[in-house]
Amino acid sequence: MHASSLSRRSVLAGTAVAAAAVALPLTQGQAHAAVTPATSGYRWRNAVQGGTGFITGVLFHPSVKGLAYLRTDIGGAYRWEERSGRWIPLTDHIGWDDWNLLGVEAMAVDPAHPNRLYLSLGTYAQSWAGNGAVLRSEDRGATWRRTDLTVKLAANEDGRGCGERLLVDPRDSDTLWLGTRHDGLLKSTDRGATWKAASFPATPSATGQGITLLVAAGRSVYAGWGDSDGTAGNPSLYRTSDGTTWEAVPGQPTGTAAKVPVRAAYDRHTRELYVAYADAPGPNGQSDGSVHKLRTTNGKWTEVTPVKPGGVTGDGGTDSFGYGGVAVDARDPGTVVVSTNNRWSLVDTLYRTTDGGRSWTSLKDRAVLDVSETPYLKWGGDKPKFGWWIQAVGLDPYDSKHIVYGTGATLYGTRDLTHWAPQIRGVEEASVRQLISPPTGTAHLLSGSGDIGVMYHERLTASPSRGMASNPVFGTATGLSLAAAKPSYVVRAGWGDHGNGAFSNDGGRTWAPFAAQPDVAKSAPGPIATNADGSVLLWSFGTADPGYRSADNGAGWSEVATFPKGAVPVADPVDPTRFHAFDTTTGTLFASTDGGRTFTARATGLNSGDTEFQLVAAPGRSGDLWLSLKSNGLYRSTDGGATFTKVAGCRASYTLGFGKAAEGAAYPALYMVGATETVTAVYRSDDEAKSWTRINDDRHQWGWIGAAITGDPRVHGRVYIATNGRGVQYGEPA
């Protein structure tokens, strides 16, 4: 979820827009026409987990009490609804083709026009990712108009917690500034409808950070530069007073601790600009940092760093970290909050000053954390941590004791500076990889995700009370499987420090680690499957390693030389002796009829030209297989994979699942993310794929949703969808 990588510079030539703005929602290829949302007849909600991802920015509106916005690295943006105490998602309309726009690089509000909101979107700056875009709204994100850029943005790369990189000019509400990673500074004079390159003294690089922040201080605009080396000859902070000419700020701090301006905030009462610095953009890789303030009336700089990194920890290690977020109190001059970041040994904290930085108090030292609403934040232990990856800090301009800060998994808030709890209702950012809806038991859903492992959802409307599956705790889940004829037996696999596989005999409520595991499991845990009665396990690893089999609940493992390397094992739901696996390198379906001891080739020539696919077995039937081959469509076999027939009327199929049959129907309902014509969407078929009905609409698309989908075997019409950044979405007929 939080992977980062080097970026590739885009070419900026002339105007940095690809199309004029249009009404949203829309998908790629529809940039000149408004789209009327489809009416699906479905109600869509999140299966509540509560946060689960990196909160990269939080912004209180300076002129409207109770109005705030939040951004994430891969899961879109949200608006705070004070009356309901919830965050409202604002970007779920982003569709399949525009998946790269679900990462929000920056936000901006207009102090003079409270209903205006601006977002810059773009998750990756790599060559394989699409260009960025700017959304603008006149109704606080209820509706949007969009401008496509010709440059790339990088909301999920290093530096994603910096900012904000988008700003309404303090002199003119029609003028906006946008800082980019590799293409310098852009400027709009028509409220974001069109953008052009603006003159800026620093030269962008193909792999650097570029502009890290834009902040207004009075009538001036300051810009942070992330590619400084910390020397006086390569400044990291610039400003303009006239909106045309930029200059390096005189007297600014230098040295390793002031290489990258991460965040900045302006105290209008004292006319001082506070800047949080680090030696790297973060959220990882920081080991040094500082906090400085500039009195803008006379140009005097003062270092006000609460604690300098580099001290010795209690265990003899080095207390290394950078500084991240900074927020000023709009009501109380000289009151400022800053955050440490990447402080793993002593755990990150917030420091607060009421005297302009002469003295500081660590808010962590007396903090009382209540995570009862989102128990996974205990991370398999007894106590939650105050936080990590703290780069988003907000201070309510109407309540000096209301502070919020983002972490790699949640947004904590306080109203009294002592008691803290997640202020995260409505935000769901998990990157979901696996879904199971058991046919019996308390939970209707088990999920496997990046970063937060496996969860047992005894209720869909509350965060799982057991938190992350423990014994052992996984970071990212790589496999999840249920024995079809014995649904109380479940197995899981994933990345962990205390084992990479586990089993459950109570449907996933409690777990025990496998007594043993193959050596390769620690470095390359992959998908796992249990056969119909739970007597055999098959575990797959990387493409360089064979599969492994266990017939004693994970106590012993033997190599299966004939299993296609790197394939996903699929168990027959009726016959315990049968397994299947699809080899993408050759387009061959392999089958086992001896409980996974050996595999032989069956149908061949099924290549889709891509390494991604999904093979699923229809519940309650032996040898009934469905193969999704992305843009090559959907195929079906009723003879255990000996032959496959292409399903007519299905142009593309990315993921497929089954649910309870419709009343009077003999075959389970099918749910698919795919396309029957041109639109990639969510479909249901109640007649064995003879016909399909689209069940999502243009306002509920959630970017890329190709990992997993399943219906509920107990409730006809209910479907669960794995998203990459918006958690588990579930829909039911309205």
Side-chain angles (χ1 to χ4, degrees), residues 677-696:
E677 294 181 353
T678 59
V679 178
T680 300
V682 184
Y683 294 88
R684 188 186 81 215
S685 174
D686 290 325
D687 57 8
E688 252 174 290
K690 296 181 180 66
S691 63
W692 297 90
T693 300
R694 182 182 177 186
I695 59 174
N696 72 325

Side-chain angles (χ1 to χ4, degrees), residues 582-595:
F582 183 65
D583 183 358
T584 59
T585 60
T586 62
T588 302
L589 190 287
F590 283 81
S592 171
T593 57
D594 58 4

Side-chain angles (χ1 to χ4, degrees), residues 185-211:
L185 182 66
L186 307 184
K187 184 178 182 180
S188 171
T189 56
D190 52 12
R191 300 210 304 272
T194 61
W195 294 85
K196 293 182 178 180
S199 175
F200 195 76
T203 302
S205 73
T207 58
Q209 284 293 310
I211 293 168

Side-chain angles (χ1 to χ4, degrees), residues 283-629:
N284 287 316
Q286 295 175 332
S287 59
D288 200 1
S290 61
V291 181
H292 297 257
K293 69 176 181 179
L294 168 67
R295 186 175 292 276
T296 59
T297 55
N298 61 13
K300 180 183 178 182
W301 283 92
T302 305
E303 182 172 1
V304 291
T305 306
V307 173
K308 292 188 177 182
V312 179
T313 62
D315 58 3
T318 301
D319 184 23
S320 62
F321 58 91
Y323 280 91
V326 56
V328 301
D329 193 328
R331 303 165 64 89
D332 191 359
T335 296
V336 185
V337 177
V338 300
S339 70
T340 65
N341 188 64
N342 206 46
R343 194 183 196 184
W344 294 103
S345 57
L346 296 183
V347 182
D348 281 300
T349 186
L350 299 185
Y351 287 106
R352 180 174 182 263
T353 180
T354 58
D355 55 15
R358 289 188 292 274
S359 62
W360 296 86
T361 300
S362 172
L363 297 182
K364 178 187 69 176
D365 295 346
R366 63 176 183 178
V368 178
L369 296 178
D370 177 6
V371 299
S372 56
E373 192 167 312
T374 49
Y376 78 89
L377 288 170
K378 295 180 180 179
W379 305 106
D382 296 327
K383 295 182 179 180
K385 292 184 177 180
F386 190 76
W388 74 101
W389 283 14
I390 304 177
Q391 294 187 293
V393 176
L395 207 166
D396 191 333
Y398 293 89
D399 183 353
S400 297
K401 292 185 177 181
H402 182 200
I403 301 171
V404 296
Y405 67 93
T407 76
T410 193
L411 182 80
Y412 280 112
T414 183
R415 300 274 184 175
D416 61 8
L417 306 183
T418 299
H419 297 87
W420 300 80
Q423 190 174 322
I424 203 71
R425 291 182 184 177
V427 178
E428 300 290 345
E429 202 196 347
S431 175
V432 185
R433 316 292 179 83
Q434 298 96 21
L435 295 172
I436 291 177
S437 184
T440 61
T442 301
H444 279 248
L445 179 67
L446 302 178
S447 66
S449 299
D451 296 347
I452 58 170
V454 169
M455 288 192 179
Y456 177 90
H457 301 257
E458 68 268 63
R459 295 170 58 196
L460 298 176
T461 56
S463 186
S465 63
R466 308 188 69 84
M468 298 169 59
S470 58
N471 195 27
V473 170
F474 294 160
T476 292
T478 60
L480 185 62
S481 178
L482 174 148
K486 186 183 176 182
S488 61
Y489 184 75
V490 189
V491 293
R492 61 184 172 98
W495 292 93
D497 295 331
H498 303 286
N500 303 92
F503 68 93
S504 172
N505 283 317
D506 56 13
R509 291 184 70 253
T510 61
W511 297 87
F514 295 147
Q517 65 180 38
D519 291 340
V520 70
K522 188 172 182 62
S523 58
I528 193 169
T530 175
N531 67 346
D533 63 7
S535 61
V536 176
L537 306 178
L538 276 183
W539 201 349
S540 178
F541 303 102
T543 56
D545 298 291
Y548 282 80
R549 176 183 186 271
S550 175
D552 53 13
N553 200 33
W557 297 86
S558 58
E559 181 180 315
V560 183
T562 53
F563 182 85
K565 294 179 178 179
V568 177
V570 175
D572 189 281
V574 176
D575 187 345
T577 68
R578 293 179 179 271
F579 283 94
H580 302 91
F582 183 65
D583 183 358
T584 59
T585 60
T586 62
T588 302
L589 190 287
F590 283 81
S592 171
T593 57
D594 58 4
R597 293 179 179 86
T598 60
F599 282 78
T600 57
R602 292 202 170 179
T604 61
L606 294 167
N607 274 37
S608 66
D610 201 294
T611 59
E612 296 183 29
F613 73 99
Q614 188 188 69
L615 178 69
V616 292
R621 290 152 176 81
S622 184
D624 190 351
L625 304 175
W626 297 74
L627 181 63
S628 294
L629 290 178

